[in-house]
Structure formats: C-alpha cells, structure tokens
Amino acid sequence: MLEIKNLHAGIEGKEILKGLTLSVGTGEVHAIMGPNGSGKSTLANVLSGRPRYEVTQGSVTFEGKDLLAMATEERAREGVFLAMQYPVEIPGVNNIYFLKAAVNAVRKHRGEEELDAMEFLQLAREKMKVVDLDEAFMNRAVNEGFSGGEKKRNEIFQMAVLDPKLAILDETDSGLDIDALRIVAQGVNALRSEKHSVLCITHYQRLLTYLVPDFVHVLAGGRIVKSGGKELALELEQKGYEWIEQEAVAAR
Amino acid sequence: MSETIEQIANQEYKWGFVTDIEADVAPPGLNEEIVRLISFKKQEPEWLLEWRLKAFRHWLTMKEPTWANVNFGPIDYQSISYYSAPKQKKKLNSLDEVDPELRATFEKLGISLEEQKRLSGVAVDAVFDSVSVATTFRTELAKVGIIFCSFSEAVREHPDLVRKYLGSVVPYTDNFFATLNSAVFSDGSFCYIPKGVKCPMELSTYFRINSANTGQFERTLIVADEGASVSYLEGCTAPMRDENQLHAAVVELVALDNASIKYSTVQNWYPGDKEGKGGIYNFVTKRGKAFTNAKISWTQVETGSAITWKYPSCILQGDNSVGEFYSVAVTANYQQADTGTKMIHIGKNTRSTIVSKGISAGHGQQTYRGAVTIMKGATNARNYSQCDSLLLGDKCGAHTFPYIEVRNSSATMEHEASTSKIGEDQLFYCQQRGISAEDAVSMIVSGFCREVFRELPMEFAVEAQKLLGVSLEGSVG
C-alpha cells in the first residue's frame, strides 16, 4: 500500500529525515517509535502534505501512485488520513457540517454519490458510538473549547467516518488518560481490517498494549534503525532508546 | 453550498453591465440653482425647498471630514451631476407598463419584480437611479394601513408625516455628507407603520447605481408608530465603472414607544478592480432613534465599495430602549472600510449590543470605529461590544478604535476584541480532510461570521454567504 524509499525531507532548510525506507502492506498495523527529535512527526507531516515541509530526495508511492506529486486534499481524498497531534479549532464551524463537507469531497473524488443530510447523520451516529461521543458534541464548533481528550477522540471519530485506507496517528496517545487511551485504541481497532493500514507514531509503548501492532520500527536520526515485531516495543519500554542508538552508531 | 461558492467565485463581477436608457441629467456642478432645479423637477412644496436650501447653505460652511482611516484623492463636488431620472412621463398602473429595457435590467439583477411579487412575498420598491419605477404589494400593505412608497411620493401624498420626521434623527446640519444629501437628495424610500401594526412581510428596496458621473443621494425614512414593528431589507449591486462614484445616503429610523425596527443591509457595490481602480465611494449616514421600550437593530454585510464610511447608530432616547448592531465587513484587494456604530444611551435601563466582524484580505484595510456614550440620566445602562478581525494574508490590516464615554456610574460596559489570522494550520486541517483550500476559506470565514449571519433574514443569509465567497476569491495562497 505504502512504499517509502530513501526519503530525505525537512523543514526550513534543515534535513530531518535522512534516507528513510519503509514498506506498509495492506491490512498491516505498523508502529513507529523513537526518541524526541528523531523525525516521527516530520514523517507524518510529509506523508500528509503539510505546507513548508520539503522533500529533497527519495520517493513515496501510495497504491502505486506518486504520493508526493499530489496536493494535500488529493492525498486525503485518495484515502490518507492524519490524526493530528494538535488538532486546531475552527470557531463557528459546526462539527457535523465540517465532517459532511469532508465526507462528500472524498465521495465525489471516488465518483460516489454525495450523502444527503439524513444519510450522513445516520453514518455519523453509528460511528459516534465507537468513540463514545454523545450527540451534543456534533453541534459544537470544530474542536472549539474541547478538552485535549475530546480533541483526540474527535480525530478518531473523523477517521471512523472518513474510513481511510491509510490512517496515520501522530502521537494520538500523548496527553490522554487511561480511559481516553482505551477509547482511542478501540476506535482504531474498529477500523482494522485487511483493507486498512495504520501507521501509529508514538513515543510510548502504552498505546500499543491496546493497539497491538504487526510491526514495530525504531526511528532515530532520521532513519529506521531497527525493526521487529510487537515484542520490540516492550523491549524499548524497558531499556529506553539509548542502546539502539548506540547500536546504530556502532553499525556505521 | 460549497459548490455554489466555487461557481460564484469563478465569475467576473457579474453585475457589471450598463443599461442604455436615456437619462434626464442635470449639468455637473452644485449651486443654489441646482438645488432649486431638483426641487422643481420633483414638484416639491415650498417648505422642502427651504429645508434643502438651508442644508446647502450650511454645507458651504463645512469641510470634508478627514478623521476616517481611509485614503482617497480629492472629490470634485463640482464635477458631479446631482440629478438624473430615467425618462418616464406618465404614471404607471402596472408592471407591464415599465420600460422593457429597465425591466430587462432588473431581470439581469435577479430581482424581477414579477418574480418577487409572485414567489417571495417581499414588497419591493425599486430605486433605479433616482426615480422609483415601480412599487408592488402596495395594496396589500395599505390594507393594514402601512405606507411604503418612494420618498417623492411620500412628500406629495403624506407631507405631514414627512415634514414631522424628516431630519428628526439626522438633522440637516449633522455632518458633511448628510448635509450634502439633505440639499440634493433625489429619491429613496418612505415607510410608515401605524400604531400597533406588525408588518406582515419583509420590506425591501434594491438600489442600483447607473449613469456615469451621477452621485447617488438616497434618502430613506422609516417610522414605526407606537407598538408597531417592521423588518426592512436593503440590498445593493452596482455596474462596473472605471471612475469613482460618490454615494452619500441618509437613512433615518424612528421607533416610537414599544415599536421595533430591524434594518438589514447586504451591500455589494463595485469595489474597484484588482489594482483598486474604479469602485464606489460610500459615505452614508444611518441612524435610528428609539423611544420608550422601543428597539432598533442594524444588521449589515458589507462586501463592496472602494471606500466605506458608515456608522449605523442608535439614539436610545426612551427608557428601556434597545439598540443592536451586527456587522460583517469585508475588504479585499485595495478596498478600505472605516465602519462601526454609535450607541447613545439617554434613557434609563437602555441596553445596546455591538457585534462587529471584520475580514481583510489582499491589501484591504479595515477599521472598526465605535462609540458608546452613556449620558448622565441613563441609569443602569448596559453595553456589550465585541469586535473581531480576521486577516487573510499579510498585506492587509485591521484597526480598532472603540470610544467609550460614561457619565453615569451605574453603567455596565463590556468590551471584547480579537484579531486572528486564517492560519496555515486551519487550512491544512481542512485540506487534510479532503476539503479544497477555496472551500476551506469560505467555511472558516462563514464560521467567523456566524453570530452576525444568524441575525439576517433567511434569504439574506444565503446571499451574504455567497457574497463572501465572491469577495474573497483568490485570497488564498
């Protein structure tokens, strides 16, 4: 589904990703872990097409298409979703109105019929249960006055409604209490299927208790330095990142 | 909705056409003779001519105000023609008798009188240039005693009412532009709602500027008698012009005891091209006086004009009277706006609310200027003011000048102000969900204006959103 080859990218002239290579197959859940400043968020932003991030070398293909050549909204319509680390507030814009516009933009792109208000409401209600949100929430402005946990749940709710092929979670677990964490994981698990892939970027192992990954990668110094199964996450939790970094240095 | 915005965003200034109708135009220039000519042409009574002349003589002693935060070249008041009327000799009994070309213009504007009459239930007094052409729904309104007609007609048919209230809110000495208007006003609308009558429909007037070099000096007077209520809509479009056109209107509202007047405006005059050439100068004086328990509410959506100088105000004369001002103003390209309101609290327990939303894009410059005055006798007066500015891009500007004067210590004043930018982050968030940048801007801007839009009558709210889309076309990235 996603093929990243020798990706070099950065922001404001500073190279952060230095030759990252990663392959995510359809239906797989990959966790990307790593210390602060290793380039985890840069990877999420580059894949989703955030402005000001520059790719200097390498390639990314998504379902065989050149992802980097697509505009931000095009990537979204093709099925790339980013659950943001810091979701922004859009005052005055109704949550449900916003999401309906998004769903219909995606459907239109796929050549599907746009949903009318009733159809959309039905879909939204169904998905709301997954993240344990109540209906009053739909009529609030996008993220305005939401608590940190509500914002993250809203991200997962949007993800559930948009049903993306590739979901990228950028430190969705940060700042969440244990209950919210479980709800978020529950939302992601509900999406899991042989058609959906997940790239879960996280600093800590704790989300991975609820969201068991197929693969775990360690990102350090802008590239993947170690890959393994779910047990790698546990090892990292116990031993920290230092030993991997040392290993990586020794290997050079 | 988003589709509509996109569609509209992709069109040129749609109403930029010129109707070729032979106009009866006065020679350029302003002197007592011209004032007399206007009055004569309109077959006005002596008292009105005298009133005009007093205004004119006073105007000669005045200077054009320079305190507003706008820049424009000097206006040559002697190069403007102060009277223009489409040639129409006899009175019309039905719409069928209206000049076909005039009718075609209305159709282009999408305000076909017939359509209006049949579908919308809105009575329209169409002001084309300076002379009212046709008035509909008159009979229906007359049944409940409502007078809704052109100003000239009101002068002829209801001179006592006009004489009693003309200048009672905006005196002819008020300010440079209002005084000029008092001397040379051509026509406008008059509305009287009798005691205890709730106007059964929204009243509306469409203005349209036509004929090169013709200043527009409309005069509107709305009187709601005791316990009456009315909602009045004013909507405007103007044809594309390569030279600046002056517009100095006066609107006076009188809400007697227990009456209420809601006045909504969507203004879309030609703002000038992308370089700021052409465009309308809009210097308008709008003011209402509210007596005991009365309420006056202004709602405006200003997207047009090269220069806007406008402060719809409320004199809260009577005890327990209420004043409201809800405004959205957009300045894109090289537009400049200095707009706001004045709330003058005189009576006890008077309340006022100000919600102003300013949006600047391109090289647009926008100023909110508001004055809230609590007079000595205004015990327990309350004011709430909220002024928010939204910037698109980094070449535009927003300025806020709130003046507050309190002479009674029992007053409660609240003021909130904010300035925000449509952030890259907000745009990215929308785009990452599949929404195009253009739609995202429309959405964010509409959200920003929501508190004002919900004050607008339904049909205007939709129109207003479309206008915002058009005005901000190309403002992204």
Side-chain angles (χ1 to χ4, degrees):
Chain A
M1 173 166 294
L2 182 73
E3 291 289 339
I4 306 172
K5 280 185 189 147
N6 190 32
L7 185 65
H8 290 253
I11 186 163
E12 284 153 9
K14 191 184 163 215
E15 187 171 73
I16 297 168
L17 297 181
K18 299 166 180 171
L20 186 143
T21 298
L22 178 69
S23 173
V24 177
T26 307
E28 295 172 356
V29 175
H30 290 240
I32 303 225
M33 302 182 73
N36 288 327
S38 59
K40 299 191 302 290
S41 282
T42 300
L43 176 63
N45 287 324
V46 167
L47 292 178
S48 55
R50 195 178 198 114
R52 293 193 291 128
Y53 282 86
E54 289 159 40
V55 174
T56 46
Q57 213 184 312
S59 68
V60 180
T61 54
F62 177 67
E63 294 196 303
K65 294 177 196 161
D66 183 359
L67 188 72
L68 300 176
M70 295 180 204
T72 305
E73 59 263 39
E74 215 181 320
R75 298 181 198 195
R77 292 171 192 169
E78 285 285 331
V80 176
F81 180 93
L82 172 65
M84 310 221 182
Q85 191 176 359
Y86 306 107
V88 294
E89 302 188 356
I90 310 180
V93 176
N94 198 298
N95 222 357
I96 198 103
Y97 175 79
F98 172 79
L99 194 51
K100 181 164 169 274
V103 165
N104 281 334
V106 172
R107 291 184 70 94
K108 210 172 144 188
H109 179 77
R110 291 184 191 154
E112 293 167 0
E113 213 137 298
E114 293 187 23
L115 296 182
D116 65 27
M118 286 317 292
E119 292 167 326
F120 175 74
L121 215 59
Q122 206 178 346
L123 172 70
R125 281 204 182 111
E126 187 188 308
K127 300 294 183 186
M128 235 175 333
K129 288 183 207 137
V130 178
V131 282
D132 209 14
L133 286 170
D134 70 84
E135 258 187 70
F137 172 88
M138 309 249 271
N139 292 316
R140 288 165 65 182
V142 180
N143 293 327
E144 197 183 25
F146 285 23
S147 70
E150 281 177 328
K151 282 181 183 175
K152 295 295 174 70
R153 266 151 68 190
N154 193 23
E155 293 293 288
I156 300 304
F157 167 60
Q158 291 182 18
M159 182 188 79
V161 172
L162 287 165
D163 192 31
K165 291 175 191 154
L166 173 67
I168 305 166
L169 311 179
D170 187 6
E171 304 210 15
T172 300
D173 53 338
S174 67
L176 291 188
D177 61 32
I178 206 78
D179 292 330
L181 194 70
R182 203 178 292 131
I183 289 166
V184 163
Q186 182 183 310
V188 180
N189 281 328
L191 183 81
R192 282 180 97 155
S193 79
E194 62 253 27
K195 287 185 198 145
H196 299 85
S197 306
V198 178
L199 196 56
C200 176
I201 291 168
T202 179
H203 198 74
Y204 302 104
Q205 190 272 336
R206 52 180 207 154
L207 176 63
L208 304 180
T209 315
Y210 304 101
L211 180 65
V212 184
D214 299 309
F215 301 93
V216 175
H217 309 276
V218 180
L219 185 59
R223 63 178 93 191
I224 305 276
V225 291
K226 198 173 179 70
S227 297
K230 58 178 189 244
E231 65 289 342
L232 179 58
L234 290 166
E235 202 177 346
L236 287 167
E237 191 74 359
Q238 278 168 7
K239 293 157 76 178
Y241 291 110
E242 221 168 285
W243 64 278
I244 293 185
E245 281 170 324
Q246 279 163 1
E247 234 179 54
V249 171
R252 275 188 199 170
Chain B
M1 189 69 234
S2 64
E3 251 178 278
T4 330
I5 290 168
E6 198 171 304
Q7 193 187 345
I8 289 173
N10 288 331
Q11 70 197 12
E12 280 278 306
Y13 185 71
K14 196 175 153 192
W15 315 131
F17 47 83
V18 176
T19 312
D20 192 15
I21 289 176
E22 218 185 317
D24 184 1
V25 183
L30 184 54
N31 51 47
E32 281 207 13
E33 283 315 300
I34 292 289
V35 176
R36 285 176 194 280
L37 173 82
I38 294 167
S39 191
F40 172 77
K41 283 260 187 194
K42 305 179 80 63
Q43 299 160 27
E44 287 174 355
E46 191 61 26
W47 63 265
L48 190 50
L49 173 63
E50 278 310 311
W51 195 76
R52 284 178 183 274
L53 288 171
K54 272 194 282 183
F56 176 69
R57 286 168 200 148
H58 188 76
W59 183 72
L60 291 176
T61 69
M62 298 172 101
K63 281 206 176 84
E64 200 181 271
T66 52
W67 46 261
N69 189 21
V70 291
N71 282 305
F72 55 95
I75 299 170
D76 182 358
Y77 292 92
Q78 294 303 334
S79 72
I80 297 168
S81 163
Y82 289 85
Y83 182 78
S84 148
K87 274 192 176 164
Q88 273 191 351
K89 280 154 201 150
K90 57 174 183 166
K91 267 198 150 190
L92 301 173
N93 297 320
S94 81
L95 286 171
D96 303 335
E97 293 177 36
V98 174
D99 188 327
E101 197 161 352
L102 215 55
R103 295 278 297 281
T105 303
F106 284 128
E107 310 261 337
K108 269 193 248 177
L109 279 167
I111 55 156
S112 147
L113 294 178
E114 282 172 325
E115 280 272 302
Q116 292 279 359
K117 203 170 172 181
R118 207 175 51 236
L119 295 174
S120 63
V122 174
V124 173
D125 173 29
V127 177
F128 184 85
D129 257 23
S130 313
V131 173
S132 293
V133 179
T135 307
T136 51
F137 274 104
R138 291 272 296 274
T139 28
E140 236 168 281
L141 290 172
K143 273 184 210 155
V144 286
I146 294 173
I147 302 166
F148 181 43
C149 60
S150 75
F151 204 93
S152 314
E153 196 179 335
V155 169
R156 284 195 302 274
E157 311 285 329
H158 312 281
D160 296 345
L161 280 174
V162 176
R163 196 170 181 177
K164 184 170 176 190
Y165 294 108
L166 176 69
S168 70
V169 184
V170 181
Y172 69 83
T173 51
D174 194 79
N175 71 72
F176 184 84
F177 297 109
T179 301
L180 177 63
N181 175 289
S182 301
V184 302
F185 72 87
S186 40
D187 211 333
S189 297
F190 175 81
C191 182
Y192 173 80
I193 319 290
K195 270 184 198 173
V197 172
K198 307 249 173 282
C199 185
M201 62 184 87
E202 311 258 4
L203 297 181
S204 108
T205 304
Y206 282 82
F207 294 86
R208 181 173 162 77
I209 297 179
N210 210 311
S211 250
N213 271 330
T214 304
Q216 284 273 302
F217 304 95
E218 305 290 347
R219 187 122 198 155
T220 299
L221 176 57
I222 298 173
V223 181
D225 212 327
E226 291 172 20
S229 77
V230 62
S231 169
Y232 189 89
L233 320 182
E234 176 198 350
C236 312
T237 60
M240 196 178 284
R241 287 284 180 198
D242 200 26
E243 58 217 275
N244 292 302
Q245 286 184 308
L246 176 65
H247 190 107
V250 172
V251 176
E252 290 181 282
L253 309 182
V254 181
L256 296 176
D257 294 356
N258 302 305
S260 94
I261 300 176
K262 184 178 173 68
Y263 192 103
S264 313
T265 308
V266 170
Q267 189 267 113
N268 181 30
W269 286 332
Y270 183 53
D273 63 17
K274 287 221 159 77
E275 277 75 48
K277 251 186 94 191
I280 308 278
Y281 289 3
N282 188 20
F283 302 102
V284 48
T285 305
K286 289 183 165 177
R287 197 176 302 151
K289 197 186 259 189
F291 290 87
T292 306
N293 299 321
K295 177 178 173 181
I296 287 180
S297 179
W298 299 100
T299 307
Q300 60 172 21
V301 176
E302 304 274 325
T303 64
S305 297
I307 295 173
T308 302
W309 182 99
K310 182 178 175 185
Y311 316 90
S313 304
C314 299
I315 301 171
L316 302 174
Q317 178 81 47
D319 293 350
N320 312 314
S321 57
V322 176
E324 293 175 343
F325 174 74
Y326 297 96
S327 169
V328 167
V330 179
T331 48
N333 296 324
Y334 283 86
Q335 281 177 276
Q336 306 174 63
D338 191 309
T339 183
T341 185
K342 277 192 281 187
M343 293 290 174
I344 301 158
H345 294 250
I346 299 170
K348 294 185 181 73
N349 305 313
T350 44
R351 279 176 294 140
S352 63
T353 304
I354 298 171
V355 177
S356 164
K357 303 276 181 177
I359 301 154
S360 297
H363 293 82
Q365 286 296 328
Q366 182 150 152
T367 302
Y368 167 79
R369 190 183 302 274
V372 179
T373 308
I374 311 290
M375 305 295 268
K376 225 171 171 179
T379 309
N380 294 323
R382 296 172 72 100
N383 165 262
Y384 172 76
S385 301
Q386 183 190 337
C387 312
D388 298 323
S389 305
L390 185 67
L391 305 175
L392 282 80
D394 49 14
K395 293 187 185 70
C396 51
H399 318 271
T400 304
F401 299 105
Y403 303 95
I404 294 172
E405 194 186 335
V406 180
R407 296 191 205 156
N408 184 314
S409 58
S410 66
T412 313
M413 314 289 286
E414 278 180 80
H415 184 89
E416 289 175 25
S418 77
T419 301
S420 53
K421 277 185 108 165
I422 286 197
E424 208 174 65
D425 289 348
Q426 282 179 329
L427 273 181
F428 173 65
Y429 193 76
C430 296
Q431 287 176 277
Q432 210 298 309
R433 300 300 183 250
I435 298 165
S436 71
E438 198 100 290
D439 288 348
V441 169
S442 284
M443 197 185 268
I444 294 166
V445 169
S446 295
F448 175 74
C449 300
R450 205 156 82 138
E451 288 149 287
V452 174
F453 283 170
R454 70 172 174 223
E455 295 296 323
L456 286 171
M458 194 55 196
E459 62 270 40
F460 255 28
V462 174
E463 197 176 327
Q465 289 211 9
K466 283 185 192 172
L467 274 182
L468 286 193
V470 180
S471 307
L472 296 171
E473 174 199 354
S475 300
V476 202

